[in-house]
């Protein structure tokens, strides 16, 4: 199948594009390189540099049958400082993509939604039926896309699936090389702990007095290769006229201290820790229930925290040795 991967020069989109190529699909990547890297587009995929607004129609018209949509801005802090950027890029860009799809007759789409649509959770385990009360323009812009997809399903016959990721980590092995996280700024825990290890500086923990077993926040992490597998399953499960929503996590959380301990073990570096105050709005525990995607699509996370840290470390080492 000929598939369009928007944002396929970014972290997650590049890994999914690689898996789609490996599965025999004809992949075209559309990315404006605002946060992505041309070198991350995997071999075998065609790359078009451009924005959703300017280029989606032309790319879709060239025989595309389905879309995997990753292109977005995704920094919570930046979205609070500049909400218009998030509404314009994440919602406006997506509406331009959906309108181009509708005009050309492409109606199958898998969308990168996020745990940020739920906001402050009511309980430790988040289900798809929980209330959506995003606390940032980033989360709100993603929720607005989810709502738009429900309408495009009902009114225009789209078959769409939104996958709500929690924390994505690790790197994907290509032969040769790796695809991994290259965000700037990097806000994710594992790459930041590994950067501290390779630069010999301490890592900062925000609060160690939470009601958790070791006092630090507990979060749900999944390996980017497992996440890519879920996208391929979702692509085959889109149904005309329906918008389905699935959480993606491993169902068990890891504390910040557990993550640091695994990173120490993987790197062999005694990473020093500095403890600061809690950050406002950080819930103690945030874990996804992935029961729905397990039962509907047969997906479950296969790779553990050690694999995430070890693969991310291999990616870091491979980059620094270049
Ligand atoms: N990384 C995570 O842990 C995580 C968690 C939840 C949800 N998500 C979502 O997953 C998706 C991918 O995240 P990522 O970590 O790979 O981010 P990323 O920044 O590495 O990738 C996003 C890509 O989209 C491109 N892009 C952005 N706006 C564009 C536009 N208008 N037109 C064309 N290209 C554009 C960027 O250049 C970049 O290559 C995002 O939608 C994000 O909101 C990520």
């Amino acid at each position: 199948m000929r598939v369009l991967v928007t944002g396929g020069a970014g972290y997650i989109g590049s890994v999914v594009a690689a898996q789609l190529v490996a599965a025999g699909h004809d992949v075209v990547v559309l990315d404006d390189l605002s946060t992505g890297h041309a070198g991350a587009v995997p071999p075998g995929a065609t790359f078009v540099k451009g924005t959703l607004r300017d280029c989606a129609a032309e790319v879709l018209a060239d025989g595309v049958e389905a879309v995997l949509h990753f292109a977005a801005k995704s920094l919570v802090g930046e979205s609070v400082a500049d909400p218009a950027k998030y509404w314009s890029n994440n919602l406006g860009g997506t509406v331009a993509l959906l309108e181009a799809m509708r005009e050309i007759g492409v109606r199958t789409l898998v969308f990168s939604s996020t745990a940020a649509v739920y906001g402050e959770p009511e309980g430790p385990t988040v289900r798809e039926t929980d209330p959506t009360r995003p606390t940032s323009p980033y989360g709100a812009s993603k929720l607005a896309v989810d709502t738009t997809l429900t309408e495009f399903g009902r009114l225009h016959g789209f078959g769409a699936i939104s996958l709500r990721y929690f924390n994505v980590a690790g790197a994907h092995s290509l032969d040769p090389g790796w695809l991994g996280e290259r965000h700037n700024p990097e806000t994710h825990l594992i790459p930041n702990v590994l950067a501290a290890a390779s630069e010999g500086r301490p890592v900062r923990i925000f609060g160690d007095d939470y009601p958790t077993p070791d006092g630090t926040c507990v979060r749900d992490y999944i390996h980017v290769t497992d996440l890519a597998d879920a996208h391929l399953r979702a692509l085959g499960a889109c149904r005309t006229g329906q918008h389905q929503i699935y959480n993606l996590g491993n169902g068990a959380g890891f504390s910040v201290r557990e993550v640091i301990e695994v990173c120490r073990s993987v790197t062999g570096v005694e990473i020093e820790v500095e403890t600061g105050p809690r950050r406002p709005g950080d819930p103690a525990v945030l874990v996804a229930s992935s029961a729905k995607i397990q039962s509907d699509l047969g997906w479950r996370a296969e790779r553990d925290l050690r694999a995430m840290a070890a693969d991310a470390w291999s990616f870091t080492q491979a980059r620094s040795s270049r």
Side-chain angles (χ1 to χ4, degrees):
M1 194 191 323
R2 185 160 168 85
V3 291
L4 166 61
V5 178
T6 75
Y11 170 45
I12 300 169
S14 65
V15 174
V16 174
Q19 292 283 65
L20 288 163
V21 169
H25 293 286
D26 178 12
V27 177
V28 51
V29 164
L30 173 63
D31 196 303
D32 65 3
L33 300 184
S34 52
T35 58
H37 310 269
V41 177
T46 304
F47 177 46
V48 177
K49 180 172 182 262
T51 64
L52 297 169
R53 272 202 185 86
D54 294 343
C55 300
E58 194 182 326
V59 174
L60 285 163
D62 194 16
V64 167
E65 294 162 79
V67 178
L68 294 105
H69 179 34
F70 300 90
K73 305 282 172 213
S74 54
L75 293 169
V76 170
E78 182 185 62
S79 80
V80 173
D82 188 358
K85 183 175 184 177
Y86 279 69
W87 288 108
S88 171
N89 194 73
N90 293 3
L91 181 60
T94 302
V95 170
L97 170 71
L98 296 177
E99 275 300 278
M101 288 175 67
R102 188 174 66 80
E103 276 165 26
I104 289 159
V106 181
R107 289 192 165 76
T108 302
L109 180 128
V110 179
F111 172 60
S112 298
S113 189
T114 167
V117 301
Y118 295 110
E120 296 274 331
E122 294 199 321
T125 306
V126 181
R127 291 183 175 74
E128 292 85 350
T129 48
D130 282 7
T132 43
R133 292 185 289 237
T135 53
S136 67
Y138 165 60
S141 70
K142 289 281 180 171
L143 182 60
V145 172
D146 282 345
T147 307
T148 308
L149 289 177
T150 303
E151 291 181 347
F152 270 62
R154 192 165 53 89
L155 303 172
H156 299 315
F158 274 49
I161 291 187
S162 292
L163 298 174
R164 289 182 174 162
Y165 322 152
F166 283 58
N167 297 280
V168 186
H172 180 70
S173 169
L174 280 181
D175 191 13
W178 291 88
L179 292 170
E181 274 187 274
R182 293 157 71 183
H183 297 125
N184 183 21
E186 184 56 78
T187 57
H188 297 146
L189 182 62
I190 292 177
N192 277 329
V193 175
L194 295 176
S198 58
E199 291 159 22
R201 56 177 170 78
V203 70
R204 195 164 175 78
I205 289 181
F206 298 98
D208 63 355
D209 56 352
Y210 284 94
T212 58
D214 66 18
T216 63
C217 288
V218 170
R219 295 288 181 270
D220 190 322
Y221 298 85
I222 60 170
H223 195 292
V224 69
T225 305
D226 285 336
L227 187 82
D229 173 41
H231 284 76
L232 268 71
R233 287 172 191 252
L235 181 62
C238 292
R239 298 284 170 264
T240 305
Q242 287 181 25
H243 175 219
Q244 303 167 77
I245 295 176
Y246 294 107
N247 285 346
L248 276 184
N250 74 18
F254 302 102
S255 74
V256 174
R257 281 201 196 283
E258 282 177 295
V259 170
I260 294 171
E261 201 44 57
V262 168
C263 291
R264 281 189 182 122
S265 157
V266 159
T267 59
V269 177
E270 191 41 58
I271 305 157
E272 203 186 312
V273 168
E274 283 175 3
T275 306
R278 294 182 182 194
R279 285 183 303 201
D282 262 351
V285 179
L286 191 52
V287 174
S289 164
S290 292
K292 187 178 171 203
I293 193 166
Q294 259 182 46
S295 91
D296 286 7
L297 306 190
W299 176 88
R300 59 182 311 134
E302 302 287 343
R303 293 162 181 81
D304 62 10
L305 181 61
R306 192 176 177 84
M308 293 179 226
D311 291 349
W313 183 237
S314 297
F315 167 72
T316 308
Q317 301 281 87
R319 282 196 70 214
S320 60
S321 68
R322 261 195 267 143

